[in-house]
Amino acid sequence: MYDDEKYMRRCIELARLAAQNGDVPVGALIVKNDSGEIIAEGYNRREADRSSLSHAELIAIDAASKRLGGWRLMGCTLYVTLEPCAMCAGAIVNSRLERLVFGADDMRFGACGSSFDLFAQRLNHVPQVEKGVLKEECAQLLSDFFRQLRKRSGGEGNNG
């Protein structure tokens, strides 16, 4: 029914755009479930925009809301290369996304089960969650990015 790997591959392409612009490589997109159409895309732009709010998920959610003409994204799936943080998980709940599909776990900031699980709280909406789609490719993007960053900064022994 869903072609999760196909959409995640596009998210990986978007994540590479973020990295090219000096941002942590995270890509996201939103698909209308009934048609399979990609209705919005985004990638991290925190450095480019100089804004802590410019996460890939928030950019995609905002674009999808504008495209559909409303804030409720029922019947849609959000794909993202990295497990969403608390801010983005809250936006997923508030926008009523039906599904969340992510690649790599985020043990430090992941709010969908790795660090903690926002969706396990008593909320008025909880999306279906599919994790680990193309996990290795998504995680490798992040590892490569931070390795290059440490090389450039001369801090090969630092953790990021």
Side-chain angles (χ1 to χ4, degrees):
M1 182 169 164
Y2 301 105
D3 195 349
D4 292 344
E5 287 190 11
K6 170 186 152 186
Y7 297 119
M8 190 61 71
R9 289 191 195 292
R10 175 63 185 152
C11 286
I12 290 170
E13 291 173 12
L14 293 166
R16 287 188 177 116
L17 292 174
Q20 288 172 5
N21 292 323
D23 273 285
V24 175
V26 178
L29 62 81
I30 296 178
V31 172
K32 194 88 168 94
N33 293 340
D34 58 359
S35 66
E37 176 189 6
I38 296 172
I39 59 169
E41 297 182 333
Y43 54 85
N44 266 6
R45 296 187 43 87
R46 290 185 307 174
E47 297 298 329
D49 294 350
R50 296 181 178 177
S51 172
S52 60
L53 301 176
S54 292
H55 286 211
E57 300 96 320
L58 298 184
I59 292 167
I61 288 169
D62 186 51
S65 295
K66 288 174 179 167
R67 171 125 184 233
L68 296 179
W71 58 270
R72 289 179 187 88
L73 301 178
M74 294 177 281
C76 295
T77 298
L78 170 68
Y79 291 86
V80 63
T81 55
L82 180 65
E83 179 180 0
C85 69
M87 176 175 65
C88 293
I92 290 164
V93 169
N94 284 311
S95 62
R96 310 297 194 268
L97 281 154
E98 184 177 315
R99 291 181 74 226
L100 164 65
V101 179
F102 67 87
D105 294 330
D106 186 345
M107 300 310 290
R108 291 179 66 200
F109 300 108
C112 305
S114 293
S115 178
F116 69 98
D117 191 352
L118 181 74
F119 302 143
Q121 306 306 308
R122 295 177 50 167
L123 303 172
N124 64 334
H125 174 78
V126 176
Q128 300 169 20
V129 178
E130 179 72 32
K131 62 182 188 172
V133 175
L134 299 181
K135 179 178 186 169
E136 290 75 24
E137 292 96 320
C138 294
Q140 190 64 52
L141 276 173
L142 293 159
S143 295
D144 292 347
F145 176 81
F146 286 111
R147 185 179 309 109
Q148 289 299 323
L149 193 63
R150 286 190 298 272
K151 278 184 185 177
R152 284 194 302 270
S153 70
E156 192 61 44
N158 295 340
N159 285 333

